[in-house]
Amino acid sequence: MENLEKKINRIKIFIPSFLSSLSTVRAMVRVYLREHNICELDEIQILSVVDELATNAVEHAYSYNEGEIEIVLNFYKKTIFLTVEDFGKGYDENLDSKEDGGFGLSIARKLVDVFKIEKKTKGTVFKVEKKIKEAV
């Protein structure tokens, strides 16, 4: 039963790597979070993290060229599990985008409980976990 519960609450979204796709992702993630009755602060924080990681993929993994981003959300045992995966040029920790004036990954890391970056042969996977509170 536990494994089934894990799968029931899981959604997977594939989007093209264009900034114009991000508003669709935000809308879909917002609906998902509201369906699971998540408090507003946690909703805003998760949306910020999704936004940052997806934007990061568009800008850095694909350099604004065509590609695909996979976003997986799962709500299980009062925790949101999020993965944002790209199949682009891969994460370079030397470019934590601070020289661009952005601190996106640093901020995203502070908004969640677990923040892991996995490099693949082609692309990067960001794995995030956040304990959430239910809306009252």
Side-chain angles (χ1 to χ4, degrees):
M1 182 67 190
E2 188 168 302
N3 207 17
L4 180 64
E5 188 185 337
K6 241 184 220 177
K7 288 183 175 142
I8 287 173
N9 291 319
R10 187 170 172 233
I11 63 163
K12 192 181 281 194
I13 305 165
F14 290 94
I15 60 156
S17 62
F18 300 115
L19 291 175
S20 57
S21 305
L22 299 182
S23 58
T24 304
V25 168
R26 276 190 293 275
M28 292 173 84
V29 170
R30 185 176 287 116
V31 167
Y32 178 85
L33 296 173
R34 288 185 179 167
E35 276 179 11
H36 289 87
N37 200 32
I38 289 165
C39 81
E40 191 178 5
L41 178 61
D42 286 339
E43 177 185 321
I44 290 165
Q45 291 177 340
I46 297 277
L47 284 167
S48 299
V49 172
V50 169
D51 207 44
E52 177 54 39
L53 297 179
T55 301
N56 210 52
V58 171
E59 292 175 355
H60 301 292
Y62 296 113
S63 302
Y64 300 96
N65 293 310
E66 195 173 337
E68 188 173 63
I69 303 167
E70 176 185 311
I71 298 165
V72 178
L73 272 169
N74 199 352
F75 178 59
Y76 181 68
K77 292 193 173 180
K78 296 190 188 275
T79 302
I80 287 287
F81 296 86
L82 164 71
T83 59
V84 177
E85 182 172 359
D86 67 68
F87 310 92
K89 62 181 170 210
Y91 177 71
D92 181 356
E93 57 271 317
N94 300 324
L95 286 176
D96 214 347
S97 73
K98 288 180 182 61
E99 71 279 346
D100 301 335
F103 294 94
L105 290 184
S106 307
I107 293 167
R109 192 175 270 123
K110 286 178 175 46
L111 294 176
V112 297
D113 301 309
V114 175
F115 188 95
K116 293 181 190 159
I117 302 170
E118 291 178 11
K119 294 183 211 174
K120 304 183 307 176
T121 314
K122 189 132 178 73
T124 307
V125 184
F126 289 91
K127 293 187 174 184
V128 173
E129 294 175 25
K130 180 168 180 59
K131 294 256 182 248
I132 58 93
K133 295 174 190 72
E134 283 185 38
V136 238

